[in-house]
Amino acid sequence: MMRKPAQASSRGSQSARAKPPSGEALFAAYPAPVKARLLALRRLILETAKATKGVGALEETLKWGQPSYLTPETGSGSTIRIDQVKPAADQVAIYFHCQTNLVETFREFYPELSYGGNRAILLDVAGKFPEAALRHCVALALTYHLRGKAPK
């Protein structure tokens, strides 16, 4: 006896095509103090991208359930992700690709910052917001691939 081919339900096909949330909608589920700090980081990342030569338009999406920033137009940078540090309710992190030397470079420039291994800058939700240092680190991440292509 032959089986009838399975049909995709209309609900299933719609969800497969559903666009992930972007913008401030990505931050709706976070507690207020964490949300405020993450939105400040988001603003800093978007502003830094606009001000940094060679970056182009950023794509804001979810990767591993975390707000993520990519440079698909130019391919200039390494993905940046931001999220609450789990289980710590009072810390957020800016995550960078762990197989780059980005965090190692940041440590040389800014030894006073807090780091999570070779992949993150850690920030206390209620602590100081080291804006100038973070802008520099974000700019370095957003132009990571450009430095490898530069003539020597």
Side-chain angles (χ1 to χ4, degrees):
M1 182 170 149
M2 289 186 59
R3 289 187 173 183
K4 186 176 177 182
Q7 290 182 324
S9 73
S10 62
R11 192 174 71 199
S13 62
Q14 283 178 339
S15 66
R17 286 182 289 198
K19 193 173 182 179
S22 64
E24 292 191 21
L26 292 171
F27 303 92
Y30 290 98
V34 171
K35 179 180 176 181
R37 184 50 53 110
L38 290 174
L39 286 172
L41 287 172
R42 173 184 182 260
R43 219 172 8 261
L44 182 138
I45 292 166
L46 296 174
E47 289 171 359
T48 302
K50 282 183 184 172
T52 305
K53 184 180 176 189
V55 172
L58 274 193
E59 178 183 336
E60 183 176 45
T61 189
L62 283 176
K63 280 188 171 259
W64 300 284
Q66 298 171 320
S68 303
Y69 303 87
L70 297 82
T71 58
E73 183 180 291
T74 62
S76 66
S78 181
T79 299
I80 299 171
R81 295 176 292 121
I82 58 176
D83 200 2
Q84 179 177 8
V85 176
K86 299 195 174 51
D90 60 345
Q91 276 193 322
V92 296
I94 308 175
Y95 294 100
F96 305 91
H97 195 295
C98 63
Q99 293 180 340
T100 66
N101 65 351
L102 285 165
V103 172
E104 180 184 331
T105 301
F106 304 158
R107 284 181 204 273
E108 291 173 18
F109 281 115
Y110 304 104
E112 70 278 10
L113 295 180
S114 245
Y115 297 93
N118 64 343
R119 67 185 197 122
I121 295 174
L122 306 175
L123 301 165
D124 290 333
V125 169
K128 183 181 167 218
F129 191 73
E131 186 171 337
L134 294 176
R135 281 189 188 280
H136 185 214
C137 294
V138 166
L140 288 172
L142 293 174
T143 57
Y144 180 76
H145 296 296
L146 295 180
R147 285 187 300 286
K149 297 175 187 172
K152 299 196 183 225

